[in-house]
Amino acid sequence: MGFVATVREEAANTPARRNRVVDLWRAVSILVVVLGHWTMAAVTVRDGGLVPGHLLVLAGWTHPLTWAFQVMPVFFLVGGYANGRSWRSARERATPYGAWLRGRARRLTLPVVPVLLFWPAAGWLALQAGVDWRTLRLATSVALVPTWFLAAYVLVVALAPATVWLWERWGWWSVVAGGLAAGTVDVVSLGSGSVAVGFVNYLLVWGTLHQLGYAWLDGRLASVARRLLLAGTGLAAAVLLVQAGPYPVSMVGLDTSAVDNTYPTRVTLLFLGMAQAGLLLLLDPLAGRLVQGRRAWTLVVAVNARIMTVYLWHVTAMVLVIAASLVVGGVGLRARPLGASWWWSRPLWFLVLAVVTTAFVAGLGRLETVGPDPRPAPPAWRPLLAVAGVCAGLAALAVVGAVDSDGLSWVLFLVPVLAVVAGGLVRRPGLTHDARRAGITRPRR
């Protein structure tokens, strides 16, 4: 059965109990991220050379717009809802943690393997062709930006059973404690500049937003009053921190800022996420009616079926389009950024990038369709090994960089790939010997 037919069938057979709004906001958040990345690129070709440019650096008036375009907090919010529901379902079926985590990690990490194999090969070819290592370092750093957030999300998912336990016993106090810890660690990291301290806060901010998803799941944010309180508190706190503290207005990271709200993740993003969560929940009735429509819901199902592939490849697609333009003399990239012709060319720019991204999705999207795993439940350490290796490798790529004056950092690319294999996230086609011996058979279609 083809992809379109499968999506239509899944959309038509969606259980009535499913909260479709969760899927809608997941799809919207990733598509907004894609659009934001494509919009911020203000690259030009002059005298046969590439001139990097960033819209947020060139136009300060765009910084407040990042409060709407920085929607990764929404992705963690809906992730909390989905992962909380998934773990509770597994718990009711007495599914071991190892089996549950292996299933979640497979869907999240298998799509990143082609990216980590593509860039060493492409980088080697570029170096052989005479591309300066500094240019290649910039290209790989930009292309691998999505993996930085993926690393955080995979870790938060691995910790979901523990954070669900905290939520079920302490309720809102667990969220408050997470927020206070994030604020405290953030102050420490501002003074120390330590990568380790920043990484701890990175987890605390995204983990606390993930726990807000549990509150949504359990109906603790059902009233309009609570949604207004969440939105108002988050917005007021974020504005106060920006106005009175050292935090910049831009919620997207900039190398020109003394303090960066994104790398490492600051407490400002936690409060921005609270504001966004409250506002989106206020729109819940309208969003719910929208996704009841057959066409709208089918589109949401289609995007979610390939969401990781779109997220992981959309920046690589942009880098390749820029490289292709440079090869042919800068076609399409000669307009001066922020000029009238540059703005008029944006729709065509988006269209070209969408076509290239779609090609990647068509070729690699099937990796997201992992299907049921008939193998016996693994010991918990094995998928945890995969998660640790993937996150360590991706974090190292983000911090150290994939290219330096000595060439490509091959090992950093290989660490996550080997972790996926060693952690048992990849399996050979067909049933394993142990599964057949246990009497497990393939489901009939």
Side-chain angles (χ1 to χ4, degrees):
M1 184 181 295
F3 175 71
V4 174
T6 301
V7 165
R8 287 176 176 171
E9 181 180 357
E10 183 177 342
N13 296 327
T14 301
R17 65 180 181 277
R18 186 178 185 89
N19 188 344
R20 300 184 178 194
V21 174
V22 174
D23 299 276
L24 171 65
W25 293 136
R26 182 191 298 111
V28 168
S29 66
I30 292 301
L31 293 180
V32 169
V33 168
V34 171
L35 181 62
H37 284 158
W38 290 350
T39 302
M40 287 188 294
V43 180
T44 55
V45 174
R46 296 177 186 168
D47 301 324
L50 191 67
V51 181
H54 196 297
L55 183 61
L56 295 176
V57 174
L58 297 174
W61 59 266
T62 61
H63 291 193
L65 299 179
T66 62
W67 291 50
F69 278 90
Q70 175 53 280
V71 289
M72 288 312 296
V74 176
F75 189 79
F76 280 82
L77 172 74
V78 300
Y81 188 107
N83 293 317
R85 182 181 58 191
S86 174
W87 171 243
R88 286 175 174 174
S89 177
R91 193 172 58 186
E92 291 171 1
R93 300 192 308 270
T95 300
Y97 170 71
W100 177 82
L101 180 58
R102 182 176 66 188
R104 304 301 279 183
R106 289 184 73 215
R107 172 73 192 274
L108 292 169
T109 60
L110 290 183
V112 80
V113 170
V115 179
L116 298 174
L117 296 177
F118 171 85
W119 272 108
W124 181 83
L125 289 173
L127 290 174
Q128 299 306 306
V131 175
D132 183 75
W133 71 269
R134 298 175 186 83
T135 301
L136 184 59
R137 181 185 179 91
L138 175 62
T140 55
S141 297
V142 171
L144 296 174
V145 161
T147 65
W148 179 234
F149 288 98
L150 175 63
Y153 188 71
V154 171
L155 278 176
V156 168
V157 170
L159 295 172
T163 54
V164 167
W165 183 89
L166 288 172
W167 166 256
E168 291 174 343
R169 280 151 184 79
W170 297 99
W172 282 112
W173 288 112
S174 66
V175 179
V176 172
L180 290 174
T184 302
V185 174
D186 200 19
V187 172
V188 174
S189 68
L190 283 171
S192 68
S194 168
V195 173
V197 175
F199 180 73
V200 171
N201 206 51
Y202 174 72
L203 287 181
L204 285 170
V205 169
W206 298 123
T208 303
L209 288 167
H210 192 261
Q211 279 200 293
L212 277 179
Y214 304 155
W216 184 13
L217 174 64
D218 286 349
R220 302 288 291 275
L221 290 170
S223 70
V224 173
R226 287 192 175 185
R227 294 174 179 182
L228 284 170
L229 179 62
L230 181 64
T233 302
L235 183 61
V239 170
L240 179 63
L241 287 173
V242 168
Q243 293 297 320
Y247 304 98
V249 173
S250 176
M251 292 295 171
V252 173
L254 290 173
D255 294 336
T256 55
S257 298
V259 175
D260 193 319
N261 283 322
T262 308
Y263 303 107
T265 305
R266 300 293 181 186
V267 72
T268 43
L269 283 184
L270 171 58
F271 289 117
L272 176 66
M274 290 170 56
Q276 291 175 340
L279 291 172
L280 291 183
L281 290 173
L282 286 169
L283 295 174
D284 194 77
L286 177 62
R289 289 193 295 270
L290 174 65
V291 290
Q292 289 303 316
R294 180 177 58 85
R295 292 182 179 177
W297 176 238
T298 301
L299 180 60
V300 170
V301 171
V303 172
N304 277 283
R306 296 293 182 261
I307 196 165
M308 289 306 301
T309 310
V310 171
Y311 175 67
L312 290 168
W313 285 95
H314 76 279
V315 185
T316 291
M318 180 175 69
V319 171
L320 294 179
V321 168
I322 292 171
S325 174
L326 184 61
V327 169
V328 295
V331 174
L333 294 180
R334 298 193 187 101
R336 179 175 56 84
L338 304 182
S341 60
W342 187 85
W343 285 112
W344 281 111
S345 69
R346 292 307 86 187
L348 180 58
W349 167 252
F350 295 145
L351 177 61
V352 171
L353 296 181
V355 169
V356 177
T357 302
T358 300
F360 280 117
V361 171
L364 301 168
R366 66 189 65 188
L367 290 175
E368 292 193 59
T369 310
V370 296
D373 194 334
R375 293 175 294 175
W381 65 265
R382 196 166 185 195
L384 282 172
L385 172 67
V387 167
V390 168
C391 294
L394 296 181
L397 281 170
V399 174
V400 178
V403 184
D404 57 24
S405 57
D406 295 324
L408 285 162
S409 302
W410 293 88
V411 174
L412 296 184
F413 284 102
L414 290 177
V415 167
V417 177
L418 294 176
V420 167
V421 176
L425 303 187
V426 177
R427 67 183 182 89
R428 282 179 285 178
L431 293 174
T432 64
H433 174 71
D434 290 337
R436 290 194 299 269
R437 187 170 57 187
I440 302 173
T441 60
R442 287 187 180 279
R444 292 185 178 179
R445 293 189 179 277

